[in-house]
C-alpha cells in the first residue's frame, strides 16, 4: 500500500518538475540578481536569510558551485576575518537576527573556517542570554517584552537545532522542543486549530486579549513560519529523542487545520486565514509557499501522511498560475507577497483584520522569493521519491572509523565519508541524493551481522581503515564475510567504494570481494597534480548500463579491478576495469576503487564544470534503487 501511495505521490508531481530548467533555479537566478553579493548591497537580515536558505537548497539539488559561491560571497561581505558580524547588535536580542546563522553553519560545515565559527559563537551567545518568559519561551525581541511570536520559532529555533546537532549539544533539544510545545499550548485556537500570530504572557500589550494574551487574528505567514520551523527542526532531532513524537503531532494538527483553510478554487491561502470571504482579504504568496513547503517536506520525510501531497500539489499549481510571472527573456518573478506583518511598534500595529490588510503587497519580496525557491525544491525532490519506497541504505562506520581532534573546537570527532559531513571528505551530498530517491540514510556503527544487516536494503562500505589512519583498525573477518554474502544472496545491495594502494585495506576486503568474483588490484592510476584535472578524466561511453546522464567524470588515484564470474565490468577505461558489478543470488554488488562520490568531487567547488560527478552520483543511486528485489 505504501509503495502504491509513493508511486502516486511521485507521478502527480512529475508534470510540475519535467522542465528544461527547474523553476527553483530560475527563481534563484532572480534572487541573485535582485540581491547581489556585493559589499554595498548585502545586509544581515532575516529576509536575506530566507533567500540564502533557498539558494542553499538549490545548491544541494544541483552541485553547481555558483550557488555555493553566492552564499559564501554574500556572508563574507557581512562577516570579517575576526568573525565580527557587520551591523549586528547582540543587545537588541532580536530572534530575527539569528536566521542568517543557518548559512553560517553550512559554510562552517563545508569549509571549517574559524571566522564562521567565531560568528556562530556570537549568535549562540545571544540565545543563551535571550530574555525569556517564566515558562522558558524566548521573547521575540528585547523591545517586545514577554511576547512570543510564531515568526520567532523559524528565526531562532531552526538555527538553534542545527547548532546543537552540529556541535553535539543534545541537552539543548529539550529547550528547542519546549519552544514549539509552549507556543502551541497558548496560541492554538481549539475551534479552528490555527495558531494566533503572537502571545503576550503578561497580557499587558495593547494588542493582546485581556484574558488570553493572544493577538486578534490568524496571520497566514505566521502560521507558515511555524510550519516551516517544525519540519526543519525535526531534521536535527534524533529518531529516538523523546519529544520528537510530540513535535510531529503538533505538525499534524497544524497541517490538518491549514488544509481546512486552503481555498478550494485556487489551492492558495488568504492573508488572514479564516476570513477568506470577508471584504478586502486576498490570497497571499509567501504563506502559500510556506504551506506547500511544509506539507511537501512533511510527506517526504514521513512526518505527514502521503495524502497531504495532494494539497501541496494544488497549492503549488496555484502559486505558479497566480503569482509567478515570466517575461520575454525567461526571467521569473513572484507577485503577491505582503511586505510585512507585525505587532506593536511605531506606528502602532494592533493586529486587527484591518491592520493586516493595510500593509503593501509587492513583487519579488525576499521572504516570498526565498519561500518559493524552497517550496519548488521540495516539489522537485518528490519526482523520484518512490524509486526506493523508503528503503534503508546503511553506511559502514565500523571498518571506516577514523577520528580526529577538531582544530577549532578541540573536540574529538568522527570523520571521513559520513552522511552528516559536508566538507571535502564528507558524503553530505551523496546522502542528499539517496534521500531524493526515497532512501532513508542510516549508519551502521557495529560490525555487520545477519541481524543488523536486516535493517538495511543497501550497505555501503567505503575505504576500510589501515593502521596509519586508525590505530584501532577493525578488519573484515570471516564472520563478516559470511554475514554480508548471505545478506546479498537474499537480496541486499552491496556498494563498495575502496581506495588506491597505500590508502586502503586490501587483503581482508578482497576476501569479501572474492565471494562475488572481484579483486581490487594493489595499484593506483589517474594520478593528478592540481590543477591538471585532465589526468583524472574518465569518459563513460554512451549506453552505459548505470550512468545514463553522466558522460565525463573525475576519478583520481583508483585501484583497478580483476573480475571473474559472476562479476563483470560495468566500466572499462584503457583496458582497466574501473567499475565492476555482480549478481549474487537475489542481490547485487557494485564496486569501484575510489570513494569517488564524496563532496569534494560532487559539490562543484573544486573540479571543473565539465566533469559530471554529481550527475554520476544521481545515476548510480537511481540504478541502485532498481536493483532492489520486488519482494
Amino acid at each position: 500500500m505504501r509503495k502504491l501511495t509513493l508511486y502516486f505521490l511521485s507521478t502527480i508531481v512529475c508534470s510540475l518538475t519535467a522542465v528544461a530548467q527547474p523553476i527553483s533555479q530560475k527563481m534563484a537566478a532572480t534572487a541573485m540578481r535582485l540581491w547581489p553579493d556585493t559589499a554595498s548591497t548585502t545586509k544581515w537580515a532575516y529576509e536575506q536569510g530566507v533567500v540564502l536558505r533557498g539558494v542553499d537548497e538549490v545548491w544541494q539539488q544541483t552541485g553547481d558551485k555558483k550557488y555555493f559561491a553566492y552564499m559564501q560571497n554574500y556572508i563574507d561581505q557581512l562577516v570579517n576575518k575576526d568573525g565580527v558580524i557587520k551591523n549586528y547588535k547582540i543587545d537588541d536580542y532580536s530572534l530575527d537576527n539569528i536566521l542568517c546563522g543557518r548559512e553560517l553553519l553550512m559554510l562552517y560545515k563545508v569549509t571549517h573556517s574559524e571566522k564562521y565559527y567565531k560568528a556562530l559563537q556570537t549568535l549562540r551567545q545571544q540565545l543563551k542570554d535571550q530574555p525569556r518568559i517564566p515558562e522558558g519561551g524566548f521573547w521575540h525581541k528585547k523591545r517586545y517584552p514577554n511576547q512570543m511570536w510564531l515568526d520567532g520559532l523559524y528565526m531562532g529555533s531552526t538555527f538553534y537545532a542545527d547548532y546543537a546537532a552540529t556541535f553535539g549539544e543534545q541537552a539543548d533539544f529539550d529547550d528547542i522542543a519546549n519552544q514549539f510545545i509552549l507556543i502551541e499550548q497558548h496560541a492554538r485556537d481549539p475551534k479552528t486549530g490555527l495558531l494566533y500570530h503572537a502571545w503576550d504572557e503578561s497580557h499587558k500589550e495593547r494588542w493582546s486579549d485581556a484574558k488570553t494574551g493572544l493577538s486578534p487574528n490568524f496571520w497566514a505567514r505566521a502560521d507558515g513560519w511555524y510550519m516551516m520551523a517544525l519540519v526543519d527542526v525535526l531534521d536535527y532531532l534524533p529518531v529516538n529523542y523523546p519529544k520528537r513524537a510530540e513535535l510531529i503531532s503538533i505538525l499534524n494538527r497544524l497541517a490538518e487545520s491549514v488544509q481546512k483553510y486552503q481555498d478550494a478554487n485556487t489551492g492558495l491561502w488568504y492573508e488572514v486565514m479564516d476570513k477568506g470571504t470577508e471584504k478586502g482579504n486576498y490570497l497571499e504568496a509567501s504563506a502559500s509557499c510556506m504551506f506547500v513547503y511544509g506539507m511537501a517536506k512533511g510527506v517526504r520525510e514521513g512526518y505527514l501522511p502521503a495524502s497531504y501531497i495532494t494539497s501541496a500539489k494544488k497549492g503549488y499549481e496555484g502559486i505558479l498560475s497566480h503569482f509567478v510571472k515570466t517575461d520575454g527573456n525567461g526571467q521569473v518573478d513572484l507577485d503577491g507577497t505582503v511586505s510585512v506583518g507585525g505587532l506593536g511598534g511605531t506606528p502602532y500595529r494592533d493586529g486587527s483584520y484591518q491592520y493586516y490588510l493595510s500593509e503593501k503587497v509587492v513583487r519579488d519580496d525576499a521572504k516570498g522569493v526565498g519561500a518559493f525557491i524552497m517550496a519548488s525544491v521540495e516539489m522537485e525532490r518528490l519526482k523520484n521519491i518512490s524509486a526506493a519506497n523508503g528503503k534503508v541504505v546503511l553506511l559502514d562506520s565500523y571498518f571506516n572509523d577514523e577520528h580526529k581532534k577538531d582544530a577549532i573546537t578541540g573536540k574529538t570527532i568522527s570523520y571521513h565519508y559520513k552522511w552528516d559531513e559536508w566538507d571535502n571528505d564528507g558524503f553530505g551530498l551523496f546522502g542528499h541524493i539517496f534521500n531524493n530517491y526515497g532512501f532513508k540514510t542510516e549508519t551502521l556503527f557495529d560490525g555487520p551481522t545477519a541481524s543488523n544487516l536486516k535493517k538495511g536494503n543497501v550497505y555501503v562500505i567505503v575505504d576500510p581503515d589501515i593502521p596509519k589512519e586508525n590505530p584501532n583498525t577493525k578488519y573484515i573477518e570471516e564472520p563478516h564475510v559470511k554475514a554480508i554474502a548471505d545478506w546479498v544472496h537474499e537480496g541486499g545491495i552491496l556498494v563498495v567504494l575502496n581506495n588506491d594502494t597505500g590508502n586502503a585495506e586490501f587483503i581482508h576486503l578482497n576476501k569479501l570481494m572474492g565471494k562475488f568474483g572481484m579483486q581490487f588490484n594493489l595499484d593506483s592510476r589517474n594520478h593528478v597534480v592540481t590543477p591538471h584535472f585532465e589526468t583524472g578524466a574518465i569518459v563513460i561511453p554512451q549506453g552505459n548500463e548505470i550512468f545514463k546522464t553522466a558522460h565525463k567524470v573525475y576519478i583520481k588515484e583508483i585501484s583497478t579491478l580483476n573480475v571473474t564470474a559472476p562479476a563483470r565490468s560495468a566500466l572499462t577505461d584503457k583496458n582497466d576495469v574501473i567499475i565492476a558489478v555482480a549478481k549474487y543470488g537475489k542481490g547485487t554488488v557494485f564496486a569501484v576503487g575510489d570513494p569517488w562520490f564524496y563532496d569534494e568531487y560532487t559539490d562543484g567547488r573544486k573540479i571543473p564544470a565539465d566533469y559530471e560527478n554529481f550527475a554520476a552520483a544521481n545515476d548510480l543511486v537511481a540504478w541502485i534503487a532498481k536493483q532492489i528485489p520486488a519482494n
Side-chain angles (χ1 to χ4, degrees), residues 519-523 525 558-562 576-578 593:
Q519 291 287 283
F520 285 105
N521 297 315
L522 276 73
D523 59 1
R525 58 158 283 184
I558 319 163
S559 60
T560 61
L561 288 139
N562 276 330
D576 289 329
V577 177
I578 305 300

Side-chain angles (χ1 to χ4, degrees), residues 8 12 16 78 117 175 185 213 272 291 368 419 458 504 581 599 618:
F8 172 71
I12 64 175
L16 302 177
L78 299 168
Y117 180 76
D175 189 24
Q185 287 175 345
V272 180
F291 292 140
W419 292 137
V458 180
V581 296
D599 294 333
N618 275 274

